[in-house]
Amino acid sequence: MSKDYFAHKADTYEQNRDRVDNVTNIANTILEKAHIDPSMHLMDFGSGTGLLLERIAPHVQKITAVDISPSMNRQLSEKRASLNYERQFR
């Protein structure tokens, strides 16, 4: 099994205000510039805790989340009830 390089960051990943603000800016740019359609099925590679996913999910039919970090996947799983996504494991 490969090393979980994000194990030490997962619990506090979203507590970094700069990181959250940066992802919010990225999501806003995607929503402004990309032709997002409510019928789309997107894939979020390196989905981490779902910071980007949770901002884009309300605008599409489905997002498939892919991340190799078990720790990040656990954090994302805690959001499962409020998001429309599928999780893929490596």
Side-chain angles (χ1 to χ4, degrees), residues 18-45:
D18 290 334
R19 178 178 291 120
V20 172
D21 290 345
N22 186 46
V23 171
T24 299
N25 289 333
I26 291 168
N28 289 340
T29 300
I30 290 169
L31 293 171
E32 289 171 15
K33 305 288 183 184
H35 300 287
I36 300 295
D37 182 275
S39 67
M40 287 180 158
H41 178 177
L42 303 179
M43 184 167 284
D44 184 356
F45 289 100

Side-chain angles (χ1 to χ4, degrees), residues 6 8-27 48-49 51-52 55 72:
F6 289 90
H8 66 288
K9 292 183 178 185
D11 290 337
T12 59
Y13 195 77
E14 294 184 18
Q15 293 174 8
N16 180 316
R17 178 58 33 216
D18 290 334
R19 178 178 291 120
V20 172
D21 290 345
N22 186 46
V23 171
T24 299
N25 289 333
I26 291 168
T49 63
L51 275 173
L52 181 63
R55 287 157 176 77
M72 292 295 202

